[in-house]
Amino acid sequence: DSFHVVMAHKGRLTEEMKQEVTESDMVLLLGSVFHLDIYSYMMELLDNMTKDEEFIQILREKPVTFLSTSGLQGDNYAHNTVTKWAVSHRMKWINSLSLHLSALLTDEGCEELFCWFNYVKSMAVCYQTGKHPTAKERGRVVLLDTASTEHQQLSADIQKAKDISCL
């Protein structure tokens, strides 16, 4: 596996970027959360990619994800913004990760990042081949439901999931 980093200075969409994305197997957007809190270069890049129909078409053929290295309070907004953008443009979206920069210096942070990359790689293969990665055959899951009343549909869905997955 290899990475090619292309800088999107001031949110500009460049020919180099188009070429790298065209030749890639997957696209990883990387940015600080504060780049999405207000209209910023990351938002400008998303807008510029959206305006270029040829580029959007190229992106639709690639699995896309987002990594933020802040771990701050604005993470939810940033990740939701990128997720909404990707889903609304019919991308092959893979769930994103936020990891505090200082966590990367710890064994646990490195392990979390490694596990996430393995997940991303599995999902990229799934998009390319149509085959879902294999999971554990059996496991035990505890669902803590905070609803004040029982939802019959939720109960039926849980039972269906149990029947399918043999939990």
Side-chain angles (χ1 to χ4, degrees):
D1 298 317
S2 65
F3 288 88
H4 294 262
V5 178
V6 180
M7 300 301 289
H9 293 291
K10 299 186 178 180
R12 287 189 213 118
L13 190 58
T14 65
E15 287 305 315
E16 177 192 11
M17 192 181 303
K18 286 182 182 181
Q19 186 64 35
E20 287 289 339
V21 168
T22 300
E23 295 173 5
S24 73
D25 296 314
M26 188 183 92
V27 176
L28 169 63
L29 299 169
L30 176 65
S32 299
V33 165
F34 65 84
H35 286 175
L36 288 146
D37 284 343
I38 56 173
Y39 191 82
S40 63
Y41 292 140
M42 178 61 89
M43 293 299 293
E44 193 167 331
L45 177 63
L46 296 179
D47 286 348
N48 286 336
M49 290 190 298
T50 300
K51 291 173 189 172
D52 188 323
E53 189 55 42
E54 177 189 3
F55 190 70
I56 280 290
Q57 195 57 43
I58 294 167
L59 270 177
R60 284 185 184 128
E61 298 169 8
K62 315 287 179 178
V64 177
T65 190
F66 174 62
L67 173 64
S68 126
T69 54
S70 74
L72 298 174
Q73 206 164 14
D75 279 4
N76 287 339
Y77 174 75
H79 287 266
N80 288 342
T81 299
V82 176
T83 300
K84 239 191 321 190
W85 173 82
V87 170
S88 71
H89 291 89
R90 300 183 312 279
M91 303 289 164
K92 296 175 180 177
W93 179 246
I94 300 173
N95 289 333
S96 55
L97 174 70
S98 180
L99 193 61
H100 196 280
L101 193 54
S102 63
L104 289 174
L105 304 176
T106 67
D107 290 342
E108 294 83 11
C110 288
E111 183 66 22
E112 185 175 352
L113 187 60
F114 177 77
C115 289
W116 182 72
F117 275 123
N118 280 333
Y119 159 73
V120 167
K121 189 174 180 180
S122 294
M123 291 307 299
V125 168
C126 175
Y127 277 124
Q128 291 166 350
T129 65
K131 296 179 182 176
H132 291 284
T134 57
K136 232 174 132 173
E137 283 186 33
R138 294 189 61 79
R140 180 166 169 75
V141 175
V142 175
L143 175 64
L144 303 177
D145 182 5
T146 59
S148 58
T149 59
E150 183 178 344
H151 260 282
Q152 287 187 355
Q153 183 60 46
L154 179 60
S155 297
D157 290 342
I158 291 170
Q159 187 57 49
K160 183 177 179 182
K162 284 172 121 179
D163 295 341
I164 291 171
S165 63
C166 303
L167 290 176

